[in-house]
Amino acid sequence: MSHDAQQTAPALLLRNATVVDGAVNRPEPAQDVLVADGRIQAVAPTGTLPLPEVAGPQRLRVLDCTGHTVLPGFFDCHVHVSTCPDADRFDTLLAPESLLTLRSVPVLASTLDAGITTARDLAGADSGFRTALEAGHVRGPALQIAIRILSITGGHGDWRTVRGTPLDSGPGAGAVADSPAGFVRATREVVREGADWIKVAATGGMSSPRSAPEAGGLTEAELRAVVQEAERQGAVGVAAHAQGAAGIAAAVRAGVRSVEHGYLVDDATLQEMGERGTYLVPTLSTLTRPAAEGPPHDKERRHRIRETALERLSAALTSGVPVALGTDAGIAPHGRNLRELALMVRLGLSPAAAIAAGTSVAARMCRLDGEVGTVRAGMRADLVVTDVDPLTDIEALGDPRTIRTVIRAGRIATHRDASTHTDESTHTDESTHTDASTRTGRETAA
């Protein structure tokens, strides 16, 4: 969202809400949240805030949030917005790059409408996606990007035919190297392309054509070279696709910031992750997707390790390692991102801890905890209003229809009328909107 767009948004008062701030376990009922200039100005008991004087057409808008909960905007820390799970792979190979990019526009919108105000795309989106979202050219969450995955020959990111013909040369295609020096160069190249994060394949994966989850990744020396170069280049961190125990352990020892998937993590590595503060992004949405989905080798591998993976991830989620929400949307369905919350609760997190995983903990992992992730004065006003109590019915948040209003950088980005309870939503442009009130099942004005 551009600075100018933030400045033209009307001041906004969320009145009489229950606030779940993303960091404190207890909810705070009967709270008013005042938003102006794109930021949260104050959070206080209902009726105690002095209202600002707003001149001209930029009037104060009031949302009566009685019976509603206000939360921080959520993160999804593992998405692929340019990938569609139901797309035909052959058609995708033949499609022009413009079609693949434009196909992402409704994906970005549905992700925002599901309550995700910040996402981390871990291969596929290039820097143009991030710039277009920042400028407001398309609707969607703020985006951090990795662009592509760094892989060994034959590893998870090596999508070439047996004859060596590339199957994909655009954003999202893997960068293949085979030595510490080779991976230093690959790291520099992806930073040159605009990456915030560096993603590496520390193991193979479910969908890898030639490498299994238990093998097929960078050596520990290669991983260390990437981590050191990423730090030198000022990247947010290194995200390691890692499913087998040995690859996860090597990635953690090498100093990666996040482990993606982590399906077969062992107890010794969990202890080291806790000591180092390494984040786990468990992507339960893709692990638990229906068995019929995916190519044959993908289905066989998921079937083979699924039960063990669920046991190991349950141990991980209850071990105290920092956990951030990530779905692998693009492999899992888009626009249903918050289904991940209930899956984490089933494996041992409390509802409050699951919410923190999708808000304050995710913000800290992405080094944005000074900007977003909690409902507190001074933070950027990325907020979600829902008509359910997420601490007693966390599963309900997985239905986007329960997300009544999404506020992005102080502007109402989407709003659903509670009386219709359909997937239809209203997308507002507050740079021209002058009404004094907005409906969340009720209407009021100040």
Side-chain angles (χ1 to χ4, degrees), residues 257-270:
R257 188 161 180 82
S258 70
V259 168
E260 310 300 309
H261 315 301
Y263 294 154
L264 301 179
V265 63
D266 59 34
D267 288 338
T269 302
L270 285 176

Side-chain angles (χ1 to χ4, degrees), residues 410-431:
R411 302 174 74 242
I412 296 176
T414 191
H415 175 71
R416 291 181 172 89
D417 188 338
S419 65
T420 61
H421 201 71
T422 69
D423 284 330
E424 296 299 317
S425 59
T426 300
H427 308 137
T428 66
D429 180 358
E430 292 186 331
S431 63

Side-chain angles (χ1 to χ4, degrees), residues 77 120 122 144 196-200 223 226-228 230-231 234-242 248 250-260 272-274 276-281 321-324 360-370:
C77 296
R120 186 178 61 150
L122 287 184
Q144 293 186 338
D196 303 298
W197 285 81
I198 309 303
K199 185 182 182 184
V200 295
L223 289 164
V226 174
V227 169
Q228 291 169 5
E231 291 175 352
V236 175
V238 175
H241 163 101
I248 298 169
V252 171
R253 290 193 300 267
V256 303
R257 188 161 180 82
S258 70
V259 168
E260 310 300 309
E272 186 157 4
M273 289 176 71
R276 288 175 172 267
T278 310
Y279 293 83
L280 173 67
V281 183
V321 302
V323 177
S360 60
V361 177
R364 188 164 66 247
M365 184 186 78
C366 293
R367 303 190 193 275
L368 293 173
D369 45 314

Side-chain angles (χ1 to χ4, degrees), residues 169 252 262 292 324 348 379 384 405:
S169 59
V252 171
M379 304 295 277
V384 165
T405 305

Side-chain angles (χ1 to χ4, degrees), residues 179-263:
S179 68
F183 281 105
V184 167
R185 180 170 182 171
T187 300
R188 290 173 179 171
E189 182 64 25
V190 78
V191 170
R192 182 192 68 79
E193 294 180 74
D196 303 298
W197 285 81
I198 309 303
K199 185 182 182 184
V200 295
T203 69
M206 305 292 189
S207 61
S208 302
R210 297 181 186 84
S211 59
E214 296 88 347
L218 282 70
T219 66
E220 188 169 335
E222 290 168 335
L223 289 164
R224 287 185 188 278
V226 174
V227 169
Q228 291 169 5
E229 188 60 28
E231 291 175 352
R232 287 186 66 249
Q233 296 292 337
V236 175
V238 175
H241 163 101
Q243 297 181 359
I248 298 169
V252 171
R253 290 193 300 267
V256 303
R257 188 161 180 82
S258 70
V259 168
E260 310 300 309
H261 315 301
Y263 294 154

Side-chain angles (χ1 to χ4, degrees), residues 106-329:
V107 166
L108 290 162
S110 68
T111 302
L112 179 66
D113 294 341
I116 304 300
T117 55
T118 306
R120 186 178 61 150
D121 189 286
L122 287 184
D126 62 19
S127 61
F129 282 72
R130 183 182 58 208
T131 301
L133 288 161
E134 288 173 351
H137 297 321
V138 293
R139 296 181 62 250
L143 208 60
Q144 293 186 338
I145 59 171
I147 301 179
R148 60 186 77 253
I149 188 170
L150 311 189
S151 169
I152 64 169
T153 296
H156 186 60
D158 186 354
W159 291 92
R160 296 176 293 175
T161 68
V162 173
R163 298 178 182 86
T165 304
L167 292 174
D168 185 2
S169 59
V176 176
D178 287 301
S179 68
F183 281 105
V184 167
R185 180 170 182 171
T187 300
R188 290 173 179 171
E189 182 64 25
V190 78
V191 170
R192 182 192 68 79
E193 294 180 74
D196 303 298
W197 285 81
I198 309 303
K199 185 182 182 184
V200 295
T203 69
M206 305 292 189
S207 61
S208 302
R210 297 181 186 84
S211 59
E214 296 88 347
L218 282 70
T219 66
E220 188 169 335
E222 290 168 335
L223 289 164
R224 287 185 188 278
V226 174
V227 169
Q228 291 169 5
E229 188 60 28
E231 291 175 352
R232 287 186 66 249
Q233 296 292 337
V236 175
V238 175
H241 163 101
Q243 297 181 359
I248 298 169
V252 171
R253 290 193 300 267
V256 303
R257 188 161 180 82
S258 70
V259 168
E260 310 300 309
H261 315 301
Y263 294 154
L264 301 179
V265 63
D266 59 34
D267 288 338
T269 302
L270 285 176
Q271 182 174 345
E272 186 157 4
M273 289 176 71
E275 292 169 354
R276 288 175 172 267
T278 310
Y279 293 83
L280 173 67
V281 183
T283 64
L284 297 169
S285 295
T286 188
L287 176 66
T288 60
R289 72 189 194 276
E293 295 180 3
H297 63 275
D298 182 315
K299 291 184 284 187
E300 183 276 326
R301 290 168 185 168
R302 275 192 293 130
H303 176 75
R304 172 165 54 84
I305 74 169
R306 175 175 166 142
E307 292 307 314
T308 302
L310 289 172
E311 291 174 5
R312 296 312 308 155
L313 289 175
S314 179
L317 267 60
T318 55
S319 70
V321 302
V323 177
L325 184 150
T327 61
D328 215 352

